[in-house]
Amino acid sequence: MLVKETEDSKLELKQQTRYRKGVGKLLHLMHWSRPDVLNPVRDLSRDMQVASKATMTGMHTAMNFIIATKDLGLKLSPRQELDENRGFKFRIEEDSNSDYANDISNRQSIIGYEIFLEGAIFLEGAPVAVKSAQQTMTTLSSAEGKLVSGTSCAQEMLFVMRILESMNLKVQKPMILWIDNKGAVDLANNWSIGGRARYIGVHHYFLRELKEQGILLTKWKSSGSMRADLFTKNLPGPAFRKHAAQFVG
């Protein structure tokens, strides 16, 4: 997390312009070929109006990392090709995660997810959508934050499913939504609710309806296996390399 700027740490106008240009280049790389830097670049882009010396240092660190790993790029490594003669179905799965109350200025959580299409033409096991963004609401628990993130992910999964079906391609159902919080998984799969979760409204009802319709099933996955961690927090080296290998190579 970058430190909020003070009057003494603000950049001069010329340096501010340089910062904006640098972050703009990082945003372009992030979007087209380097999803592994999604979270730090998201953090840097929040200070486009008034950057500080700390954020300038952060930008240089990100650029030095990109230069040092210039041979890396978005990895799409399918495991098999489409076989229409066997009633082939696309398998869509998604990791959903959030970093609870990450922003110390407003205590809003950071959402992160990626969607994997397993069995697609040249896309089996390959990511087709990634995101790192701050939630627009303040959640009151980690479970609620995961639930909000999961709902955003489910919407994206429905979009991918409908694109495939509009091309007369089949999708295996239910699609799988992975969440690393058992409380959030229980809320998404059960109609009973009580205690401190009674105030949570629309989000978990949406996931429950998708389950009843046989479209989507929410399952638990351990935090150590959660690939979306890459998009919600700056990870230590071993964990970063482990998850980044799923997206770039």
Side-chain angles (χ1 to χ4, degrees), residues 43-62:
D43 221 1
L44 292 169
S45 65
R46 297 178 56 202
D47 292 305
M48 295 288 270
Q49 293 298 321
V50 183
S52 66
K53 295 176 182 178
T55 51
M56 177 66 89
T57 300
M59 184 195 73
H60 288 154
T61 301

Side-chain angles (χ1 to χ4, degrees), residues 13-27:
L13 181 59
K14 185 177 181 180
Q15 290 295 308
Q16 180 69 58
T17 300
R18 183 183 179 189
Y19 178 82
R20 290 172 183 160
K21 290 180 178 179
V23 173
K25 291 179 173 66
L26 289 173
L27 286 167

Side-chain angles (χ1 to χ4, degrees), residues 89-91 161 165 171-175 213-216:
K89 292 184 179 181
F90 290 83
R91 288 185 295 165
M161 179 191 77
E165 291 180 341
V171 174
Q172 181 175 308
K173 297 173 184 173
M175 301 179 291
Q213 295 167 11
I215 296 174
L216 182 143

Side-chain angles (χ1 to χ4, degrees), residues 173-190:
K173 297 173 184 173
M175 301 179 291
I176 304 300
L177 172 64
W178 298 100
I179 297 178
D180 65 350
N181 184 289
K182 291 185 178 181
V185 173
D186 289 341
L187 286 170
N189 288 323
N190 301 316

